[in-house]
Amino acid sequence: METRLTTDPEEAAACIRQGQLVAFPTETVYGLGASIDHPDAVAAIYQVKGRPQDNPMIVHVASVDEVPSVALRLSASARTLMRRFFPGPLTLVVPRTERVPRTVSAGLWTVGVRMPDHPLALAFLRACGSPVAAPSANLSGRPSPTSWEAVRDDLDGRIACILQGDGVRVGVESSVVDCTTDPPVLLRAGGVTLEAMRAAGVPVEPASAAHLAQGRSPGTRYRHYAPHARVRVVDGPAHAQAGPDAAYIGPTAPDGTFAAVERVTDADAYAHRLFAFFRECDRRGIQTIYCESIPEERVGRAVMDRIRRAAAGS
Ligand code: TXA
Ligand code: MG
């Protein structure tokens, strides 16, 4: 299959309406979408990505008016979070309607819903005329793509179309919040911080080990975000081994000679650059990537989650 590249949201949406797969930009990372009204296309996403069948997908909507077509009911907390953070890097897990096929929800009674904060994504979703199920547009296990070129590296020849946008603004995925419990539970840290949700008056809690063990967040069972290189989480440059096969990313500039160094001034910059840096290191054949720890607050929570997961498998 030849993968078409386009900057036209109408052209990309026409593929979706025909039951094909389209990668599209959002403010977090690129997504790989299919219409929820084409269950076969949704099923094909699992094949193309090599994604485990029991990992549900997020449904993307063009407006809050579309939410009731996929969400059976919203708790008071879910409504507050939606009002405050849609559009934005936040996914709400809520009871699903019959319209959501089992291929999307992986058999769960819930669905994750999100409205991206990205003009091209919203133009595309509007033109699709139906909600769009989409995981991140990477091969399963690889770092999420933060540019259309990264999508092409993973999926060229396997999908109908890539909607080309600029590089992403956030760089890590949306926060996933389970709103079926009271208080709601953060299943995955992401672009909307725990602190911001609490400031909005919703007492979201981090997921406990027990919560995750119940299988509420299937995605957290799998290895993720991993470059080919080994990833080591370190407290600072003193704990990193410089060399021609090593790379360093973090707020502190290392002294030694590394093949690549990414100096990030704060947690937002770290999130923005992390996956792109992983992919750059792989292209250059780097063997070890040292990632400096940062405090687990605000977006730092998402950064630490991603680098720990990347390190866990290597
Ligand atoms: O920013 C993002 O969220 C990006 C862009 C494309 O929107 N999407 C994304 O999708 O990261 P994905 O599939 O790579 O990650 C979705 C996460 C997985 O960990 C999945 O298990 C979880 O959300 N998830 C989706 N639906 C769920 C549900 N009904 N219950 C619990 N977890 C759910
Ligand atoms: Mg993903």
Side-chain angles (χ1 to χ4, degrees):
M1 172 190 304
E2 195 183 328
T3 300
R4 198 186 313 174
L5 299 175
T6 182
T7 56
D8 178 6
E10 299 286 343
E11 187 182 342
C15 295
I16 290 282
R17 290 195 301 267
Q18 289 162 26
Q20 298 176 317
L21 307 192
V22 174
F24 62 99
T26 79
E27 81 280 32
T28 57
V29 301
Y30 276 68
L32 175 60
S35 166
I36 65 164
D37 295 337
H38 286 271
D40 292 348
V42 175
I45 291 179
Y46 290 97
Q47 301 294 320
V48 161
K49 278 188 57 115
R51 182 180 177 96
Q53 301 268 356
D54 62 351
N55 194 2
M57 294 176 199
I58 295 169
V59 169
H60 296 70
V61 294
S63 77
V64 293
D65 298 338
E66 247 186 316
V67 172
S69 72
V70 294
L72 203 53
R73 58 182 175 272
L74 299 178
S75 64
S77 295
R79 276 197 299 274
T80 302
L81 291 173
M82 188 172 79
R83 264 199 307 272
R84 172 69 182 75
F85 297 108
F86 278 23
L90 176 65
T91 296
L92 301 177
V93 173
V94 296
R96 69 176 168 85
T97 63
E98 289 295 315
R99 173 134 185 233
V100 180
R102 293 181 66 83
T103 40
V104 170
S105 61
L108 298 178
W109 57 283
T110 56
V111 64
V113 193
R114 152 166 146 76
M115 178 182 173
D117 183 18
H118 191 287
L120 189 56
L122 292 175
F124 162 71
L125 291 170
R126 270 192 301 272
C128 289
S130 75
V132 168
S136 49
N138 51 285
L139 292 175
S140 199
R142 299 275 299 145
S144 297
T146 55
S147 65
W148 67 263
E149 291 93 338
V151 175
R152 190 182 53 185
D153 288 346
D154 275 16
L155 300 178
D156 191 30
R158 302 179 187 223
I159 61 176
C161 180
I162 299 174
L163 178 59
Q164 298 168 290
D166 296 334
V168 300
R169 172 168 63 81
V170 179
V172 292
E173 301 85 347
S174 62
S175 303
V176 179
V177 175
D178 183 353
C179 293
T180 66
T181 60
D182 189 23
V185 171
L186 181 68
L187 298 179
R188 178 179 73 181
V192 171
T193 67
L194 206 55
E195 290 84 349
M197 291 188 267
R198 288 178 175 165
V202 182
V204 177
E205 286 183 353
S208 65
H211 197 98
L212 295 177
Q214 283 169 14
R216 296 260 191 177
S217 183
T220 56
R221 282 202 291 270
Y222 300 105
R223 182 172 186 233
H224 263 127
Y225 319 117
H228 297 305
R230 256 189 318 272
V231 173
R232 295 277 179 268
V233 183
V234 293
D235 287 336
H239 303 274
Q241 182 80 51
D245 293 333
Y248 193 90
I249 181 169
T252 316
D255 287 334
T257 307
F258 289 84
V261 171
E262 184 80 32
R263 182 86 197 287
V264 287
T265 46
D266 58 21
D268 291 308
Y270 206 149
H272 185 242
R273 286 297 303 152
L274 182 66
F275 290 146
F277 188 66
F278 279 175
R279 283 177 178 265
E280 181 190 326
C281 289
D282 277 352
R283 266 197 308 280
R284 297 170 54 176
I286 285 166
Q287 299 294 307
T288 308
I289 305 172
Y290 294 97
C291 298
E292 185 175 339
S293 299
I294 59 170
E296 293 205 41
E297 55 193 26
R298 295 186 291 279
V299 175
R301 194 181 284 271
V303 169
M304 290 306 295
D305 171 71
R306 303 305 188 272
I307 65 181
R308 280 212 200 91
R309 282 177 198 282
S314 56

